[in-house]
């Protein structure tokens, strides 16, 4: 058990660092690790608890550049759909949803690389983005890459992007936690694992914040797009 916990902590640290730099990716890549260690029905709620601490730390570290109105509109859509998705977790066709999301992410990157980037979305568009993210995140554990193209198209980069995405995700994960509790998925094992992995996620977020302040906007966007491709491949592989 100790070896399993150490492996999970190392993965949580590394992927919290990744999330702190790119704004997403940690949850997507951490889910297959947690699933291999704990099983899917434990992995998804444990992942949510670790993401709570990771996102809360990113909100605090990037609070001065955070776009609160944008995060608020995202929350309007995310909260009800996150609760609904959490209640549906036991019966939803997860494999098909993952592959569909993988195709979408690859299409977004190809579209951006062709220079045909979408226009700047309106702030109220993020209500719909939040709804899709809330439902997908509750079912798949994490869909941070789904929101990335919209935040990039809005013009956010580096600390503003990371902080705003984290604030939006924080309310989403709080809603999922409530839904998992109502569905009876937050047992003693899940709560203990979530608490044990919190220090590693906080440390990873702090190190990542130091890194993101040292890179250019161009490098930042390239890292985000690389993360989108990696996440898409993970989803298409069905992990």
């Amino acid at each position: 058990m100790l070896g399993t916990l150490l492996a999970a902590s190392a993965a949580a640290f590394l992927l919290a660092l990744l999330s702190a730099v790119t704004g997403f990716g940690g949850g997507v890549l951490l889910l297959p690790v947690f699933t291999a260690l704990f099983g899917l029905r434990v992995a998804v709620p444990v992942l949510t608890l670790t993401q709570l601490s990771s996102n809360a730390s990113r909100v605090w570290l990037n609070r001065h550049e955070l776009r609160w109105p944008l995060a608020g509109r995202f929350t309007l859509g995310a909260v009800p759909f996150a609760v609904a998705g959490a209640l549906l977790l036991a019966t939803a066709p997860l494999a098909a949803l993952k592959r569909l999301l993988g195709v979408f992410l690859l299409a977004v990157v190809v579209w951006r690389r062709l220079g045909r980037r979408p226009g700047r979305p309106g702030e109220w568009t993020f209500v719909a983005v939040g709804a899709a993210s809330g439902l997908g995140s509750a079912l798949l554990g994490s869909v941070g890459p789904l929101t990335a193209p919209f935040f990039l198209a809005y013009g956010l980069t580096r600390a503003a992007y990371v902080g705003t995405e984290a604030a939006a995700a924080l309310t989403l994960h709080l809603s999922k936690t409530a839904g998992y509790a109502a569905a009876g998925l937050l047992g003693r094992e899940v709560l203990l694992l979530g608490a044990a992995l919190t220090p590693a996620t906080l440390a990873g977020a702090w190190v990542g914040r130091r890194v993101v302040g040292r890179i250019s906007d161009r490098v930042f966007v390239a890292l985000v797009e690389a993360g989108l491709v990696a996440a898409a491949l993970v989803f298409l592989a069905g992990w």
Side-chain angles (χ1 to χ4, degrees):
M1 182 63 183
L2 179 59
T4 299
L5 184 58
L6 290 175
S9 295
F13 171 82
L14 292 173
L15 295 173
L17 191 159
L18 173 66
S19 294
V21 174
T22 65
F24 70 92
V28 172
L29 299 175
L30 199 54
L31 181 59
V33 176
F34 279 7
T35 300
L37 293 173
F38 311 125
L40 182 62
R41 301 300 173 189
V42 172
V44 172
V46 168
L47 177 62
T48 296
L49 294 179
T50 61
Q51 288 176 314
L52 278 175
S53 56
S54 177
N55 282 287
S57 62
R58 299 207 307 270
V59 168
W60 175 256
L61 292 169
N62 298 283
R63 62 192 181 280
H64 297 302
E65 294 86 1
L66 199 158
R67 305 292 179 86
W68 289 105
L70 205 62
R73 288 173 173 79
F74 181 97
T75 299
L76 288 176
V79 169
F81 280 85
V83 173
L87 295 174
L88 290 172
L89 177 62
T91 59
L94 304 185
L97 289 172
K98 284 184 178 181
R99 289 183 173 87
L100 181 62
L101 181 56
V103 171
F104 169 77
L105 295 178
L106 286 178
V108 166
V109 174
V110 171
W111 185 263
R112 288 178 59 84
R113 289 290 96 192
L114 290 174
R116 299 176 180 178
R117 301 181 184 183
R120 187 173 187 264
E123 290 193 358
W124 288 104
T125 301
F126 286 86
V127 177
V129 174
S133 299
L135 182 62
S137 183
L139 294 173
L140 302 176
S142 176
V143 290
L146 175 64
T147 66
F150 297 95
F151 284 118
L152 289 177
Y154 190 79
L156 301 185
T157 59
R158 297 199 288 176
Y161 169 88
V162 172
T164 304
E165 192 278 337
L170 182 61
T171 57
L172 188 156
H173 294 313
L174 286 170
S175 304
K176 285 163 54 181
T177 300
Y180 293 146
L185 296 174
L186 292 183
R188 181 173 178 271
E189 180 186 8
V190 168
L191 294 174
L192 288 176
L193 285 170
L197 294 171
T198 293
T201 60
L202 293 177
W206 183 83
V207 174
R209 178 65 178 88
R210 306 285 291 183
V211 172
V212 80
R214 299 174 182 272
I215 59 177
S216 68
D217 288 350
R218 182 177 179 181
V219 171
F220 176 83
V221 172
L223 287 172
V224 171
E225 290 183 340
L228 288 174
V229 172
L233 295 177
V234 169
F235 281 129
L236 289 172
W239 295 349

